[in-house]
Amino acid sequence: MQAQHDDETTTIDGIIRALYDSISGPAEQKRDLRRFRSLFLPDARLIRTNPSPDGTAAEALVFDVDAYFKRACEYFKVEGFFESELARRVDTFGHVTQVFSTYESRHAADEPEPFSRGINSIQLFHDGARFWVVTIFWDFERPDNMIPAGYLPQASG
């Protein structure tokens, strides 16, 4: 593993912020694969749920970092994509951290409403010096799969 010691990888806040930042931008903006890849363990996986149209079944689409990035960049050539975190739940045991990161996606940074929301389940490994992304496994919100209130920002009162 390549050692990289900077604010993007030494804290949970830093690595989560870097993940969202590295894939966000306007259409046709080239994304930085080197930066994106530097956040992940060499054999890391990104796994997208793919529900059937009727919602009775689903499959898991599994990508390595390069395959995911290549596929995503095809989309980024024609669509802006700005993903940001709405809320976060974190559990840590030893060198293992599980982050449930509720996200929303927009085609433009100033778009009033997101076109998609969901939850990224992000597994992090801390090697003693920095965090590495091991897996990102996500599902998106839809009428039959709404985000539970406990995973949304808490209203202040």
Side-chain angles (χ1 to χ4, degrees):
M1 288 180 275
Q2 174 187 354
Q4 178 181 339
H5 305 285
D6 60 21
D7 290 342
E8 287 193 345
T9 60
T10 58
T11 66
I12 293 169
D13 283 342
I15 199 161
I16 300 298
R17 187 173 36 256
L19 275 170
Y20 286 115
D21 184 56
S22 66
I23 60 170
S24 295
E28 299 181 9
Q29 175 183 308
K30 186 173 166 87
R31 304 316 198 268
D32 184 351
L33 175 58
R34 187 171 158 188
R35 177 185 184 204
F36 186 71
R37 190 185 289 137
S38 75
L39 304 173
F40 291 83
L41 280 174
D43 293 325
R45 294 291 179 256
L46 294 98
I47 307 166
R48 178 186 183 273
T49 58
N50 189 32
S52 63
D54 65 4
T56 60
E59 63 180 333
L61 303 176
V62 181
F63 303 94
D64 66 22
V65 174
D66 290 339
Y68 169 82
F69 195 82
K70 180 179 178 184
R71 182 176 174 156
C73 284
E74 289 301 313
Y75 178 79
F76 300 153
K77 287 179 184 176
V78 296
E79 288 287 349
F81 186 78
F82 293 83
E83 194 163 82
S84 59
E85 185 176 59
L86 293 173
R88 181 188 308 167
R89 280 190 171 183
V90 178
D91 290 306
T92 299
F93 179 74
H95 293 274
V96 175
T97 297
Q98 159 61 40
V99 179
F100 261 42
S101 177
T102 305
Y103 67 86
E104 61 184 11
S105 304
R106 290 177 164 75
H107 293 295
D110 59 356
E111 191 172 35
E113 293 296 321
F115 69 85
S116 181
R117 298 188 325 170
I119 296 178
N120 287 316
S121 172
I122 304 166
Q123 289 70 52
L124 301 173
F125 166 65
H126 195 273
D127 66 6
R130 63 157 289 179
F131 286 96
W132 297 91
V133 177
V134 178
T135 308
I136 303 176
F137 183 35
W138 71 96
D139 202 350
F140 56 93
E141 188 174 51
R142 49 196 177 277
D144 67 336
N145 190 48
M146 300 302 291
I147 297 173
Y151 292 94
L152 292 169
Q154 301 303 310
S156 58

